[in-house]
Amino acid sequence: MPENSTAIFYTATGIDPEGDPVSFRVTGGDDAAFFQITPSGQLSFRNPVDFEVPADKDKDNKYIVELTINDPAGLGEGLILAVTVTDVATGSYHVRRVASGFTQPVYATGMTDGSGRMLVVQKAGRIRVVDPDSGVIAETPFLDVSGQVSTDGQRGLLGLALAPDFATSGVAYVFLSNTAGDIEIRRYATPAADRSQLDPATVKLVLRIPHAVSNINYGGWLGFSPNDGLLYIATGDADDCGTGVTTLAVATRCNAQASALLGKVLRIDPARDDFPDDVDRNYGLPATNRDSISILRGFRNPYRASFDRAFPRNFWVGDIGQGAQEEVDLVQIKNTYVGNNYHQDEQFDWPLLEGDVVHVSDISYLRGAGYSRFTWNHGNGDYNANAIVGGYVYRGPAESLQGIYIAGDYSSGRIFGIRNDGVSAGLRLTASFRPDAGSIDHISSFGEDQRGNLYIVDYDGELFVVMPG
């Protein structure tokens, strides 16, 4: 079976000795979860599988499934198939405009219900549903909290994460700034019979973080790790450090403390409530954390982040710079055993460093955390960026992009790549990402759908997708 396809590739047949009608089911095999079969015996993959990133149990591109034929009395017979996935050369790609007419879109993600629909987050408080094939934007929003968010500066409805079991639970989480300017992580759910709209009456506050003194550096990303199933949240530092930081004491106060939740990546279990007496904290502290929900600290404005779906411990963070450099960081999420606790607790370098630029002369505080840093100087050249927007490691059907981390610059619309050797950040993709219609001017986010296709969100109101061929 060629990779990247959900076409029917096998039809099971059989007859009942008494002539009764028969039906077919997938009933077992090491890789049964990847398959679906019609009652009449037509077998296909549920979602496209990737030859370059095998997902079968033995990681050899040979998927094992057991089919069963039954008569009305339940009597039946089984058949075990080995389905070998083969490589398809799809090196070229193009960028297609999916839809336009959004109002200040800042994020996009795919519905995980098998429908293929995309969700587009708008800064002023609405999440729109769009069909990528037709470009039709549903009139009814997925969520409308437009009267509950502040939108001045960098405030607004900034992030969305569907629960890993969204297809069955209908649960989703949002990152927004409330009318006072504070960060809120909220939980909503859809009605059981309709996954196309969150019910506002189901709202539950998960976490509130004070941020009212500044309308910049909010961060704004949240997402579930495919590795541990926990919810990760990236917060900006509110620019408390200001410009021209010169003392180690100021730097330490701003971003080095785990108890302060700004300028951090947080990790929580939203399915529990370990703080029943605190109305602003309705979540669980994972056992893999040390003593705080803060696990990565020392960021300025980590506006967008992502996990590599093929290597789910690899965590990428795009951290917007101040006045000299833009930065993308790669860290492997690990749970280090210390005493009786597992924890991560990595220290990053802002405001001691901005990228590679030293802001504090005494840098003895730097811990030398085990992460890779990629930087771009500010400017107007092809290799320059002025407001980096973190993206994704590409795992879609265009094979020439496989394994490349793709990021962009909000200010210019330039698109960059970091090769999977983890060495060079200098890959320029801007020219090859020119779309068939519209223009990519102000990249506010990237997005992925359920199949791994890469989307580009333009703040001017357009949504684009990278297509093979």
Side-chain angles (χ1 to χ4, degrees), residues 24-347:
F24 295 88
R25 296 180 297 147
V26 171
T27 53
D30 289 342
D31 308 300
F34 292 93
F35 295 91
Q36 59 187 0
I37 194 169
T38 66
S40 58
Q42 296 175 312
L43 184 68
S44 62
F45 280 103
R46 290 183 179 273
N47 294 296
V49 293
D50 187 350
F51 179 85
E52 283 69 30
V53 188
D56 60 291
K57 181 180 179 181
D58 297 328
K59 301 296 186 289
D60 60 358
N61 276 311
K62 186 177 290 186
Y63 293 74
I64 307 301
V65 60
E66 181 178 12
L67 312 180
T68 299
I69 183 174
N70 292 105
D71 66 9
L75 299 177
E77 185 63 70
L79 174 69
I80 295 177
L81 291 181
V83 182
T84 300
V85 173
T86 58
D87 193 15
V88 175
T90 57
S92 61
Y93 59 89
H94 67 282
V95 176
R96 177 177 66 85
R97 186 171 70 177
V98 172
S100 60
F102 300 101
T103 302
Q104 296 179 315
V106 293
Y107 187 65
T109 190
M111 295 278 275
T112 53
D113 60 355
S115 68
R117 296 174 295 176
M118 292 293 293
L119 299 170
V120 178
V121 178
Q122 297 182 155
K123 184 175 184 284
R126 290 186 175 91
I127 301 175
R128 309 302 303 272
V129 183
V130 59
D131 180 344
D133 293 329
S134 66
V136 173
I137 303 171
E139 186 172 340
T140 302
F142 184 63
L143 177 67
D144 187 351
V145 291
S146 53
Q148 304 170 36
V149 299
S150 53
T151 59
D152 57 310
Q154 296 173 13
R155 292 170 173 167
L157 177 60
L158 302 176
L160 167 68
L162 303 183
D165 64 348
F166 173 80
T168 54
S169 72
V171 170
Y173 298 82
V174 298
F175 183 125
L176 59 82
S177 57
N178 63 20
T179 53
D182 295 329
I183 292 172
E184 288 190 1
I185 307 302
R186 297 181 182 181
R187 176 191 186 275
Y188 292 89
T190 70
D194 183 8
R195 297 289 182 240
S196 63
Q197 185 179 8
L198 294 171
D199 181 357
T202 63
V203 62
K204 177 181 179 181
L205 179 66
V206 177
L207 172 63
R208 179 181 290 117
I209 304 172
H211 195 305
V213 297
S214 170
N215 67 357
I216 62 173
N217 294 4
Y218 268 81
W221 175 87
L222 75 168
F224 283 91
S225 165
N227 177 57
D228 57 28
L230 297 171
L231 183 62
Y232 288 65
I233 304 162
T235 64
D237 73 348
D239 203 33
D240 286 345
C241 297
T243 60
V245 176
T246 57
T247 67
L248 186 61
V250 171
T252 303
R253 184 180 71 249
C254 288
N255 268 348
Q257 300 170 357
S259 58
L261 301 184
L262 296 179
K264 308 292 191 301
V265 171
L266 316 175
R267 177 169 60 192
I268 65 173
D269 181 354
R272 304 199 326 260
D273 185 359
D274 293 347
F275 313 96
D277 298 326
D278 190 337
V279 296
D280 291 338
R281 296 193 296 171
N282 300 290
Y283 58 83
L285 181 65
T288 47
N289 292 23
R290 179 156 50 175
D291 54 4
S292 168
I293 62 174
S294 165
I295 64 165
L296 304 177
R297 51 181 93 165
F299 295 101
R300 180 178 181 271
N301 193 12
Y303 172 67
R304 291 290 172 249
S306 67
F307 290 92
D308 183 345
R309 62 170 57 196
F311 300 95
R313 288 187 182 273
N314 287 355
F315 184 55
W316 295 79
V317 183
D319 195 13
I320 298 175
Q322 179 175 257
Q325 285 190 342
E326 300 300 304
E327 177 178 338
V328 166
D329 299 308
L330 166 62
V331 62
Q332 187 173 75
I333 297 295
K334 58 185 182 294
N335 299 314
T336 307
Y337 188 75
V338 176
N340 294 319
N341 295 312
Y342 288 90
H343 71 278
Q344 176 88 25
D345 194 22
E346 292 280 14
Q347 173 66 47

Side-chain angles (χ1 to χ4, degrees), residues 370-390:
Y371 67 93
S372 300
R373 180 171 60 235
F374 306 92
T375 61
W376 293 261
N377 290 325
H378 284 195
N380 298 316
D382 289 346
Y383 287 99
N384 297 132
N386 299 295
I388 199 70
V389 177

